[in-house]
Amino acid sequence: MPTIGFESHDHHACVSDAMAKAEARCTASALRLTPVRRRVLELLLAEHRALGAYDILGHLSAEGLGTQPPVAYRALDFLVKAGFAHRVEALNAYIACAHLGADHTPAFLICRSCRSVAESDTALTQGRLGEAARAAGFQIEHTVVEAQGLCPACQTGDAA
């Protein structure tokens, strides 16, 4: 799977495709994509940048969709459990899944300047960590991989 997040792309198609996949998955799995959940996913898809729960709550409140933190947290919890979003631990924030519908283990490349986040895929059993786990007789069940640095735009000073 390619790394998605820093390169130029047809963002409208990216959002439309992700929403269609989310709707199809909800239908197939008997999940409810309520108006609040749908709007939170749309907000996360709006840009490849992590958003905190209170950032999301601000949008929801302005749109009359809720003013209390549990509204945002419940929607985010649903989206993460459904595989539509990920929690970026280092930022205490959330990002829409760039590989929606694919079974994968995400790794995040986080720009410390503009807070944009690219999502890549990493296999639990591959690489040096996988080798170390096998050598120790350890079975990896979950990892959190987050690398911080500068995105291509911030390296060249092109970030807005």
Side-chain angles (χ1 to χ4, degrees), residues 88-121:
V88 180
E89 305 284 334
L91 300 175
N92 192 23
Y94 298 82
I95 187 164
C97 179
H99 302 288
L100 205 140
D103 185 22
H104 67 290
T105 302
F108 301 106
L109 308 174
I110 305 163
C111 181
R112 64 176 167 75
S113 181
C114 69
R115 288 183 49 128
S116 61
V117 179
E119 179 182 337
S120 190
D121 183 37

Side-chain angles (χ1 to χ4, degrees), residues 38-155:
R38 173 184 299 281
R39 185 62 185 133
V40 171
L41 182 56
E42 290 169 346
L43 291 168
L44 292 175
L45 288 165
E47 52 188 295
H48 293 288
R49 189 175 67 83
L51 295 174
Y54 282 90
D55 297 326
I56 291 166
L57 185 60
H59 288 282
L60 295 177
S61 179
E63 296 171 16
L65 293 172
T67 59
Q68 298 299 314
V71 172
Y73 282 110
R74 281 189 208 116
L76 289 164
D77 185 52
F78 168 84
L79 295 174
V80 169
K81 285 180 180 172
F84 302 154
H86 301 292
R87 185 168 187 273
V88 180
E89 305 284 334
L91 300 175
N92 192 23
Y94 298 82
I95 187 164
C97 179
H99 302 288
L100 205 140
D103 185 22
H104 67 290
T105 302
F108 301 106
L109 308 174
I110 305 163
C111 181
R112 64 176 167 75
S113 181
C114 69
R115 288 183 49 128
S116 61
V117 179
E119 179 182 337
S120 190
D121 183 37
T122 184
L124 292 175
T125 59
Q126 301 300 313
R128 291 185 181 193
L129 182 59
E131 291 171 12
R134 277 190 298 285
F138 183 80
Q139 181 177 344
I140 299 173
E141 295 176 348
H142 176 76
T143 61
V144 176
V145 178
E146 299 178 349
Q148 294 186 22
L150 291 173
C151 70
C154 289
Q155 288 178 48

Side-chain angles (χ1 to χ4, degrees), residues 2-18:
T3 298
I4 299 177
F6 295 139
E7 75 287 343
S8 295
H9 64 285
D10 182 347
H11 194 64
H12 179 70
C14 170
V15 171
S16 297
D17 183 50

